[in-house]
Amino acid sequence: MAQRITNLIERTRAHRGNRVRLVGASDSPLTARSVLLPAAGIVLGADSACDVQLEDSAVSRKHATIVPATGGFEVADLGSRNGTWLDGSRIERAMVAAGATLRIGHTLVQLLPAEEAIDIPPSDATSFGELLGASEPMRRVFAVLERASGSHAPVLLLGESGTGKELAARAIHERSPRRGGPFVVFDCGAASGTLIESELFGHKKGAFTGAYRDHAGAFASAHGGTLFLDEIGDLPLSLQPKLLRLLERSEVTPLGARAPERYDVRFIAATHRDLWADIGSGLFRGDLYYRLAVVEAHLPPLRQRKTDIPILVRALLRANGAIDSEVEGPKLERLLRYAWPGNVRELRNVIARAVALALPGSEFEQMPIVLRTETPADAEPIARADVPYLEAKEALLERFDRDYCTDLLQRAGSNLSEAARVAKIERKYLYRVLARAGIRPRPSEEDA
């Protein structure tokens, strides 16, 4: 069984041409490496005469060829003993899209297209829609979003939770030629199974138990406008090929339908996840990533743009009805020292709480600023590099799940239905998160 690609994808702009990334089997000394593809392509095999020699007992002497071509790669098996495999199917000759992963023997081969580093100067603007920031990181984001807004190209927004990805998506839509059409938000992590497929693609009456009437999915609702796929990294792997077909052909077949339906939709996707790591671990399709990331923007965390905090605080004070006052002094210094794990969303909550608890007419320096922790940005890191990356990441995520679920149940009074509403996830998905965190609800918690 092929070893999954793990901890191997470091996005780099150093390689300008098409390339393949190889990952060896557990019984071979081959480590993850990247190989540039010449225009004539390469031959892979166990023979030393091959362009790329694979020390893999399941690879034939001359196993396969890979040649860059318009729109992807041409892959041909050279009559190998164990075959060349794509998505579980053995292929002899095929055109393969960028981002796909082949299995050759026990070696995984990821096909990566040429990348070009485009240096866009920072925007002169200090806002984009409801996004605010005069720092260079934010003005660079604004420059990308300003250019993307005028096109119909898919956009992928990356960044931690609370950095403003949905605000960015709305602003792109409002500045786009589709501004007169609908803006539909679909949370890919908020549903599961048949429900998510029905909500995305729609269904016909009688398609499944409980389907008493036709239902227009998110794609149909967004026809002529923009569909924002929030947390795209949580989309089940089984549904990703269907989304890919929609991106490529602008058509999808609703559940229970006999014929596909066409939609005119612009896609904006967002996630806080490391999609490259998910591609490597087999949780996200590389070809779908490349279709979504025609334009890619990384929204920086607040800790990387501390100079924007005074601007944000002034705007948030006005939004919450506080008097216009100077944002300076010890209270501001506390905000600047704080690490902001919840990013701008957390700052918004802190200021809203401060205004709500302050005496009428209070200036900023007189308001009660309550922070979850007083952890300075230069404090001891929560993740250390004295253990392997995946082990450290897994431990951190386990701690996050445990702490989040414990606090969630306390806030919801141990009512799982209320907890699911607070967390904005389906109750079934909440059960999985609780199980992953090692928290078993008491009988009193399993109420309707």
Side-chain angles (χ1 to χ4, degrees):
M1 182 177 180
Q3 173 182 306
R4 281 187 170 183
I5 306 177
T6 56
N7 194 24
L8 59 93
I9 303 175
E10 312 86 12
R11 295 214 62 185
T12 173
R13 302 293 183 179
H15 299 296
R16 301 298 189 206
N18 294 293
R19 63 197 189 279
V20 296
R21 188 175 286 276
L22 310 166
V23 184
S26 57
D27 61 351
S28 85
L30 177 65
T31 56
R33 59 190 174 108
S34 181
V35 178
L36 286 171
L37 281 179
I42 58 173
V43 178
L44 300 95
D47 195 300
S48 60
C50 293
D51 299 308
V52 177
Q53 184 180 12
L54 301 176
E55 299 181 37
D56 183 333
S57 59
V59 168
S60 299
R61 294 181 65 234
K62 291 186 178 180
H63 198 107
T65 63
I66 301 175
V67 180
T70 302
F73 302 81
E74 183 177 342
V75 179
D77 185 82
L78 300 177
S80 65
R81 181 177 69 255
N82 293 315
T84 300
W85 297 78
L86 173 67
D87 292 336
S89 300
R90 186 167 180 166
I91 60 174
E92 294 183 358
R93 181 180 293 273
M95 284 296 300
V96 180
T101 300
L102 305 172
R103 180 165 64 84
I104 295 178
H106 295 307
T107 301
L108 297 183
V109 182
Q110 188 176 26
L111 308 179
L112 303 176
E115 290 185 343
E116 181 181 356
I118 302 175
D119 186 19
I120 300 178
S123 171
D124 293 330
T126 57
S127 66
F128 183 80
E130 295 185 41
L131 293 176
L132 300 176
S135 62
E136 182 174 336
M138 283 305 290
R139 289 189 295 112
R140 286 193 177 277
V141 171
F142 294 161
V144 174
L145 300 183
E146 286 166 357
R147 297 194 183 194
S149 297
S151 74
H152 297 278
V155 179
L156 177 62
L157 303 171
L158 302 174
E160 297 177 7
S161 295
T163 51
K165 297 186 290 295
E166 183 172 342
L167 294 180
R170 288 184 181 276
I172 292 171
H173 171 74
E174 290 167 2
R175 294 192 179 199
S176 75
R178 295 172 176 266
R179 66 179 68 89
F183 178 80
V184 177
V185 180
F186 184 84
D187 188 345
C188 298
S192 60
T194 303
L195 179 60
I196 190 172
E197 187 168 4
S198 169
E199 292 300 318
L200 265 176
F201 307 120
H203 67 252
K204 297 298 182 180
K205 179 180 178 181
F208 53 86
T209 302
Y212 300 116
R213 61 180 64 88
D214 290 353
H215 172 69
F219 292 116
S221 300
H223 181 66
T226 302
L227 176 60
F228 176 50
L229 297 168
D230 198 14
E231 294 306 339
I232 188 66
D234 293 334
L235 185 69
L237 189 62
S238 61
L239 297 183
Q240 292 177 23
K242 198 167 185 178
L243 175 58
L244 180 62
R245 287 194 297 273
L246 179 59
L247 284 163
E248 292 177 339
R249 305 175 188 172
S250 298
E251 63 181 30
V252 69
T253 304
L255 289 174
R258 296 183 178 181
E261 298 177 0
R262 296 188 64 83
Y263 302 114
D264 175 24
V265 176
R266 189 205 186 157
F267 295 92
I268 302 177
T271 183
H272 72 283
R273 297 174 65 102
D274 183 348
L275 285 188
W276 279 96
D278 286 347
I279 292 170
S281 60
L283 298 176
F284 199 83
R285 292 178 62 108
D287 45 4
L288 176 57
Y289 167 83
Y290 281 108
R291 290 294 300 173
L292 290 169
V294 175
V295 178
E296 184 176 299
H298 298 249
L299 274 70
L302 186 55
R303 63 182 176 275
Q304 292 180 3
R305 56 183 191 107
K306 291 285 190 75
T307 57
D308 288 334
I309 288 180
I311 298 173
L312 293 168
V313 170
R314 290 190 192 98
L316 292 169
L317 288 172
R318 290 193 296 269
N320 284 279
I323 65 171
D324 194 6
S325 63
E326 293 295 325
V327 178
E328 57 185 14
K331 294 287 176 68
L332 176 59
E333 292 301 319
R334 283 181 61 199
L335 298 182
L336 292 174
R337 289 196 303 268
Y338 187 57
W340 296 108
N343 294 297
V344 179
R345 181 184 294 127
E346 184 179 5
L347 176 61
R348 183 180 65 222
N349 293 340
V350 166
I351 299 303
R353 181 167 56 242
V355 173
L357 297 179
L359 294 174
S362 295
E363 296 190 352
F364 170 70
E365 188 58 31
Q366 300 169 327
M367 294 181 180
I369 300 296
V370 181
L371 303 175
R372 286 193 297 170
T373 63
E374 292 291 342
T375 306
D378 57 354
E380 184 74 10
I382 58 175
R384 300 185 60 86
D386 53 358
V387 295
Y389 169 78
L390 289 179
E391 182 179 333
K393 182 178 180 181
E394 183 177 357
L396 184 61
L397 291 177
E398 287 179 356
R399 189 172 70 185
F400 168 80
D401 281 346
R402 186 170 58 253
D403 292 348
Y404 182 88
C405 291
T406 299
D407 186 57
L408 178 65
L409 291 176
Q410 290 176 350
R411 292 172 183 268
S414 297
N415 184 307
L416 291 184
S417 297
E418 176 63 18
R421 284 192 290 270
V422 170
K424 295 184 179 180
I425 59 177
E426 289 292 316
R427 182 167 167 165
K428 290 182 179 179
Y429 185 70
L430 175 61
Y431 276 115
R432 293 202 297 271
V433 176
L434 291 172
R436 188 167 64 233
I439 299 176
R440 185 172 183 178
R442 298 188 301 273
S444 60
E445 296 173 325
E446 297 183 356
D447 44 20

